[in-house]
Amino acid sequence: MRALILVGGFGTRLRPLTLSRPKPLVEFCNKAVLLHQLEALRQAGVSHVVLAVSYMSDALEAAMREQEQRLGIRISMSHEKEPLGTAGPLALARDVLAEDGEPFFVLNSDVICEFPFAALARFHRQHGGEGSLVVTRVEEPAKYGVVVCEADTGRICRFVEKPRVFVSNKINAGLYIFNPGILQRIQLRPTSIEKEIFPAMAQDGQLYAMELQGFWMDIGQPKDFLTGMCMYLQALRAQHPEKLHSGPGVVGNVLVDPSAKIGANCVIGPNVTIGAGVVVEDGVRIKRCTVLEGARIRSHSWLESCIVGWSCSVGQWVRMENVTVLGEDVIVNDELYLNGANVLPHKSIAESVPEPRIIM
Amino acid sequence: MPLKAVILIGGPQKGTRFRPLSFEVPKPLFPVAGVPMVQHHIEACAKVPGMKEILLMGFYQPNEALSRFLVSAQQEFKVPIRYLQEYAALGTGGGIYHFRDQILSGGAEAFFVLNADVCSEFPLQEMLEFRQQHGDMHSFVILGTTANRTQALNYGCIVANTGTQEVQHYVEKPSTFVSEIINCGIYLFTPAIFQHIGEVFQRNQQELALEESSNGWQRAEVIRLEQDVFTALAGSGKLYVYKTDGFWSQIKSAGSAIYASRLYLNQYSKSHPERLAQNKPGGPVIRGNVYIHPTASIDSTAVLGPNVSIGEGVTVGAGVRVRESIVLHGASLHDHTCVLNTIVGWDSTIGRWARVEGTPSDPNPNDPYAKIDSETLFRDGRLTPSITILGTLLLVTIPAEVVILNSIVLPHKELSRSYKNQIILCAYAGSTCCVQGLGSNFVCFSTKGHYQHHLATPTLHYLLSATPWKVLAHLQDLGALNVPVMCRQLTHRNRLRALDFSMIVTA
């Protein structure tokens, strides 16, 4: 089987992290977002994955080669000269996707969940329609476009953008499977699959919805990245509790890379991910944070709801909170207070940031 | 030559900018660099040869704290020290005039008058020598220092003959620039000063006699040395200024107490090296000048300084950081707390990993003549983190891991969350009442529940015992808020006016 991952642009919503590396390579719970997806696709029997990108990146290409080796699958890149939206890339990669005549997967690269690709393929074969999409339930449907479908078959009747009265609580989760026939519907030009292709397919009775079990999160923004991390760690607790860290000073779900070092008298968790080679000195308190590879958190600091970028150094008695995001190699001097700061890579912070803002 | 000194300590209605600290001890006894504010004055006076007696003068009711201090200071400095209580606030000149016999008893040939709310090197000996040098032993000497042109307007301004230093013109807090030389609130007088004050007294009496509704002599005795006496003496050849380049600052606000502490701690390296903590094996890390009371218990992993004073019986836990702060006696800082630019009140507790931080109000370091600003707490309707020091905690419990930023927390308060840029007025379990900057133009006065609280201070007690809307109505009557007020959880909205926070508490 084939799969197409819609990577798209530079991931501006996840800046400043994406200023240092392409969004698919940012680690989510100690594993690049792309790897979460590639591994799940491979497990569902996919042998060739196409990344639809609108920019070129040596780092991404190198990572692709490495994963090809590791996973034993083919990974290629489909480069858009101009942004083609969410459907255009399918037309661009037409040759690969239609090659084996089998249904193929398409997914948004920002989505994190327990990817149900095998179940989706089964569901798709059962109903025999042209396309299937995964839907997930949300609490406040009025914020999203919702999917209205038949309760028994899952056949989609219509899409309603930001409904003002309740019609459905299911939204498009950004994971699809299509028969190659869908390619007849798509021209090689900027096109929205959600707004232009899906409504036509639904009208033809060719689009079905499968409800997702478990958590789902679009982690395209730092705030949601952290929420997604909490969900992922909770799921890990249920399925692979042995992967979570335990011991004195560990509270709740905490994921720690084996190469990380944590000092004495720390209290870590709940909901913390500590990356490879990270050093957490003595007496540090961390909750609801992701600390990326190579960072150092110096003693007596206090962190909540932060993403600490690669190779950052956070000084002693620093307090960081409220979705503070440090780009790569940021130095935070001792005793500072960062409240919702968004710090671009390679900055040295010498003054407190008492109110949320971007530090250029 | 027999000398005396009078230290003017004011009274409970003064020093409102020092609230809420002055609710617990009289402001003159507030510790600056580890010792009561006026002890620095007493020490300087006791050093002057011929000092026969030091008189503290003010309108505080005699109280235990003050008596205890006087006894211990007498023993330490081996000079008689007495407290003279004014029957009412008589002004800077009225008090010494009222007690002139006490001051002159024992044949004092000259005496110093020092305001308690200044910190200084107190060059008293130099003032005596200066008087001797210019040859007129009957002249009066004001200690002066240089301020910058803008800030000089907040002080008494002195124009003097550049050669003789004779004061030609004196004006208190002018609205336009007069002189960069300002009055330090430290004077050297001879008994002849009482004739000049007496003239003012006579004049006041005559004026009051013409006013039908006046209540007579009591008001005639209220005399301000600066406006009533110095202004008249200027140009008469009797008043001189001795200019000092040594450190000097007013101590009006809590923020200036931290600044004054720094100046005194700095002086200790020469005058009292034994009072400065040293880095020792097994002891905490000391950075810069730090005073630690011998009874305080400090973990060896704590890092203190610069400019930190740790009071009696204070407990400082592992990995605690304190910088530019005063920690008052009995306070307890739990592990990993970070305390910056803060006065931690008596017996307060700060939970582990909590951060308590104020904004320093130091004078511009690039201007050698800059003084500390002691403005009101609000500017343009907002609490100004830039001015006063904040995070003043008294008998307050701060829970673990919260941040208290630029806030003033009034006594007996258990906080349950983080606060930023707020005055947390009062409360007991279950009720909160705070003033906060909100947007650009609001002060929010919010409250939950009713108060049932007992405090010694009657004015505060009123506020605590009243229902919130009564408080608001009262504040409105007093014109006590100069910003719109939003009442949260109250049934009506009010727009009130006030001068500053001190007014709120006075209400």
Side-chain angles (χ1 to χ4, degrees):
Chain A
M1 288 176 82
R2 309 277 189 261
L4 179 83
I5 301 179
L6 297 163
V7 174
F10 292 98
T12 48
R13 293 188 304 159
L14 204 55
R15 279 179 181 168
L17 299 175
T18 47
L19 290 170
S20 298
R21 57 175 80 178
K23 188 172 58 176
L25 300 185
V26 172
E27 297 99 333
F28 174 82
C29 295
N30 285 350
K31 191 194 288 183
V33 177
L34 179 65
L35 251 69
H36 286 276
Q37 294 157 350
L38 288 177
E39 288 176 4
L41 287 167
R42 177 176 165 265
Q43 215 166 22
V46 172
S47 56
H48 187 173
V49 178
V50 181
L51 304 187
V53 295
S54 61
Y55 63 97
M56 292 305 285
S57 155
D58 293 344
L60 189 54
E61 221 152 331
M64 279 165 50
R65 296 290 86 82
E66 193 191 321
Q67 295 308 320
E68 275 190 325
Q69 290 284 319
R70 195 174 75 91
L71 299 171
I73 56 172
R74 211 170 146 221
I75 305 171
S76 58
M77 210 175 301
S78 169
H79 181 221
E80 307 155 35
K81 299 287 180 287
E82 54 162 342
L84 292 173
T86 47
L90 275 72
L92 189 65
R94 177 188 305 267
D95 296 345
V96 179
L97 297 177
E99 204 175 18
D100 60 359
E102 289 283 305
F104 58 87
F105 295 105
V106 174
L107 59 148
N108 286 334
S109 69
D110 287 346
V111 167
I112 277 293
C113 62
E114 294 166 79
F115 296 105
F117 291 122
L120 182 61
R122 273 199 304 280
F123 173 78
H124 183 69
R125 291 205 169 87
Q126 269 168 15
H127 67 67
E130 197 173 76
S132 305
L133 55 86
V134 178
V135 291
T136 184
R137 286 172 189 242
V138 290
E139 285 181 356
E140 294 180 66
K143 289 182 184 169
Y144 305 88
V146 298
V147 178
V148 183
C149 54
E150 289 174 2
D152 46 351
T153 63
R155 197 171 61 166
I156 295 173
C157 310
R158 62 201 163 99
F159 295 88
V160 184
E161 198 53 41
K162 299 199 169 61
R164 292 173 61 187
V165 292
F166 183 86
V167 288
S168 162
N169 59 357
K170 299 186 179 75
I171 65 160
N172 176 356
L175 309 172
Y176 322 116
I177 187 167
F178 303 118
N179 290 341
I182 192 183
L183 298 168
Q184 309 297 323
R185 299 174 182 270
I186 303 170
Q187 308 296 311
L188 185 56
R189 57 178 173 79
T191 311
S192 162
I193 201 166
E194 297 88 351
K195 293 204 173 71
E196 298 173 57
I197 309 300
F198 286 168
M201 289 172 76
Q203 197 129 45
D204 298 347
Q206 290 295 320
L207 196 59
Y208 289 76
M210 183 186 90
E211 197 174 325
L212 180 69
Q213 306 302 311
F215 76 95
W216 176 89
M217 197 70 207
D218 177 332
I219 56 166
Q221 297 180 60
K223 184 173 160 284
D224 299 333
F225 184 96
L226 290 169
T227 307
M229 176 193 69
C230 298
M231 294 172 164
Y232 181 92
L233 294 181
Q234 187 57 39
L236 208 57
R237 167 69 67 196
Q239 282 148 29
H240 297 285
E242 73 284 355
K243 291 188 177 172
L244 292 173
H245 199 69
S246 57
V250 175
V251 182
N253 302 327
V254 174
L255 187 63
V256 180
D257 188 278
S259 62
K261 289 192 182 70
I262 295 179
N265 302 321
C266 291
V267 179
I268 312 287
N271 299 311
V272 171
T273 303
I274 307 270
V278 166
V279 177
V280 177
E281 296 184 358
D282 296 350
V284 170
R285 178 79 182 97
I286 307 180
K287 42 189 182 181
R288 206 172 183 274
C289 288
T290 287
V291 183
L292 294 172
E293 186 176 348
R296 172 179 282 262
I297 314 292
R298 304 209 51 218
S299 47
H300 315 300
S301 284
W302 185 96
L303 284 72
E304 182 179 26
S305 296
C306 301
I307 304 176
V308 178
W310 307 275
S311 308
C312 284
S313 176
V314 175
Q316 295 182 299
W317 291 288
V318 167
R319 183 186 177 99
M320 303 205 310
E321 61 187 346
N322 195 15
V323 200
T324 286
V325 185
L326 306 183
E328 184 182 16
D329 181 37
V330 165
I331 297 170
V332 180
N333 287 5
D334 290 351
E335 299 163 26
L336 298 185
Y337 172 51
L338 304 188
N339 173 22
N342 211 304
V343 187
L344 270 57
H346 312 295
K347 283 291 294 183
S348 183
I349 305 287
E351 273 182 21
S352 287
V353 182
E355 294 302 327
R357 65 188 183 96
I358 297 167
I359 311 297
M360 303 289 279
Chain B
M1 181 176 64
L3 288 170
K4 287 206 182 183
V6 179
I7 303 172
L8 305 174
I9 64 170
Q13 282 86 52
K14 297 282 175 186
T16 51
R17 269 176 289 185
F18 215 65
R19 289 177 178 175
L21 297 167
S22 49
F23 287 138
E24 294 289 324
V25 299
K27 178 180 163 185
L29 297 185
F30 184 82
V32 176
V35 305
M37 199 184 285
V38 286
Q39 186 171 322
H40 297 282
H41 299 62
I42 292 173
E43 193 178 335
C45 293
K47 267 192 214 152
V48 180
M51 185 60 62
K52 298 293 174 219
E53 187 178 44
I54 299 169
L55 301 165
L56 270 60
M57 191 179 290
F59 43 99
Y60 286 99
Q61 291 294 325
N63 60 68
E64 201 196 325
L66 191 57
S67 318
R68 237 183 306 131
F69 169 72
L70 293 178
V71 169
S72 71
Q74 284 200 85
Q75 286 170 350
E76 184 170 352
F77 300 105
K78 313 219 165 20
V79 59
I81 305 175
R82 282 193 295 147
Y83 173 55
L84 301 177
Q85 189 195 350
E86 298 166 51
Y87 62 91
L90 296 178
T92 48
I96 57 171
Y97 186 67
H98 183 79
F99 288 113
R100 59 193 181 279
D101 294 342
Q102 301 274 357
I103 296 168
L104 299 181
S105 72
E109 287 177 30
F111 62 99
F112 291 98
V113 172
L114 304 90
N115 282 288
D117 61 357
V118 299
C119 91
S120 171
E121 270 181 340
F122 299 111
L124 305 181
Q125 191 62 39
E126 290 86 337
M127 287 168 80
L128 284 168
E129 284 161 12
F130 166 77
R131 194 179 61 152
Q132 206 141 27
Q133 274 163 17
H134 73 71
D136 181 358
M137 292 300 281
H138 299 288
S139 62
F140 314 126
V141 182
I142 303 178
L143 184 69
T145 190
T146 310
N148 66 34
R149 289 180 68 100
T150 347
Q151 288 180 321
L153 305 181
N154 303 324
Y155 298 89
C157 292
I158 301 164
V159 182
N161 180 307
T162 45
T164 63
Q165 302 300 328
E166 190 216 319
V167 176
Q168 294 168 324
H169 184 65
Y170 183 94
V171 56
E172 188 68 17
K173 298 190 179 76
S175 56
T176 55
F177 177 75
V178 174
S179 167
E180 283 149 344
I181 308 303
I182 59 166
N183 175 0
C184 292
I186 296 165
Y187 318 116
L188 172 60
F189 294 135
T190 64
I193 192 71
F194 294 123
Q195 290 161 24
H196 299 284
I197 303 176
E199 283 165 20
V200 177
F201 176 66
Q202 301 295 335
R203 199 169 58 237
N204 283 355
Q205 238 180 353
Q206 285 162 14
E207 281 174 14
L208 286 167
L210 298 174
E211 280 179 44
E212 282 179 6
S213 61
S214 80
N215 61 351
W217 60 276
Q218 186 174 333
R219 279 169 59 194
E221 232 189 343
V222 176
I223 297 162
R224 300 160 302 178
L225 269 181
E226 299 79 13
Q227 289 96 322
D228 298 333
V229 180
F230 294 162
T231 305
L233 280 173
S236 69
K238 294 191 181 76
L239 190 60
Y240 289 78
V241 59
Y242 172 71
K243 277 189 277 180
T244 176
D245 294 326
F247 71 83
W248 178 84
S249 176
Q250 280 189 328
I251 310 179
K252 291 285 191 195
S253 62
S256 53
I258 288 186
Y259 177 62
S261 259
R262 186 187 317 153
L263 299 175
Y264 279 135
L265 286 173
N266 200 22
Q267 192 192 31
Y268 284 172
S269 55
K270 283 183 197 147
S271 64
H272 289 286
E274 79 286 354
R275 286 188 190 164
L276 292 176
Q278 306 294 328
N279 279 300
K280 281 184 216 134
V285 178
I286 305 296
R287 295 187 185 160
N289 295 328
V290 173
Y291 169 83
I292 300 175
H293 194 277
T295 59
S297 152
I298 317 282
D299 190 276
S300 63
T301 57
V303 180
L304 310 179
N307 187 21
V308 168
S309 306
I310 304 282
E312 195 180 334
V314 166
T315 312
V316 175
V320 167
R321 178 77 179 104
V322 187
R323 169 161 64 81
E324 295 287 341
S325 294
I326 297 174
V327 183
L328 298 169
H329 72 68
S332 177
L333 313 185
H334 293 183
D335 296 357
H336 318 296
T337 54
C338 183
V339 176
L340 310 173
N341 302 302
T342 293
I343 294 177
V344 179
W346 299 271
D347 299 321
S348 298
T349 299
I350 301 181
R352 63 181 192 161
W353 278 300
R355 180 186 183 91
V356 183
E357 182 178 10
T359 303
S361 47
D362 290 353
N364 177 4
N366 300 317
D367 177 356
Y369 301 126
K371 302 284 177 275
I372 197 158
D373 280 315
S374 297
E375 294 179 36
T376 55
L377 291 169
F378 292 102
R379 186 191 285 156
D380 303 329
R382 290 192 87 169
L383 193 57
T384 46
S386 54
I387 290 176
T388 327
I389 228 266
L390 311 160
T392 300
L393 317 171
L394 292 110
L395 288 170
V396 161
T397 301
I398 302 294
E401 305 192 28
V402 301
V403 56
I404 307 292
L405 202 60
N406 300 331
S407 293
I408 296 178
V409 184
L410 265 74
H412 309 289
K413 171 70 185 152
E414 225 168 276
L415 299 185
S416 53
R417 60 169 176 95
S418 294
Y419 286 88
K420 292 177 187 172
N421 306 312
Q422 293 193 9
I423 297 172
I424 301 143
L425 276 181
C426 53
Y428 72 111
S431 88
T432 313
C433 178
C434 57
V435 176
Q436 62 190 144
L438 241 190
S440 57
N441 272 317
F442 277 96
V443 159
C444 171
F445 197 106
S446 69
T447 175
K448 290 176 193 160
H450 297 243
Y451 312 115
Q452 286 182 330
H453 205 85
H454 299 285
L455 269 188
T457 315
T459 49
L460 186 65
H461 182 243
Y462 174 78
L463 186 59
L464 289 163
S465 61
T467 49
W469 41 93
K470 277 186 187 160
V471 174
L472 286 170
H474 194 95
L475 289 172
Q476 193 169 33
D477 290 346
L478 288 175
L481 294 165
N482 65 356
V483 282
V485 164
M486 195 181 78
C487 312
R488 213 195 273 162
Q489 299 199 0
L490 296 181
T491 50
H492 63 288
R493 281 181 159 220
N494 267 327
R495 291 175 78 84
L496 310 177
R497 286 177 301 167
L499 294 174
D500 64 13
F501 168 62
S502 64
M503 288 293 294
I504 299 174
V505 182
T506 312

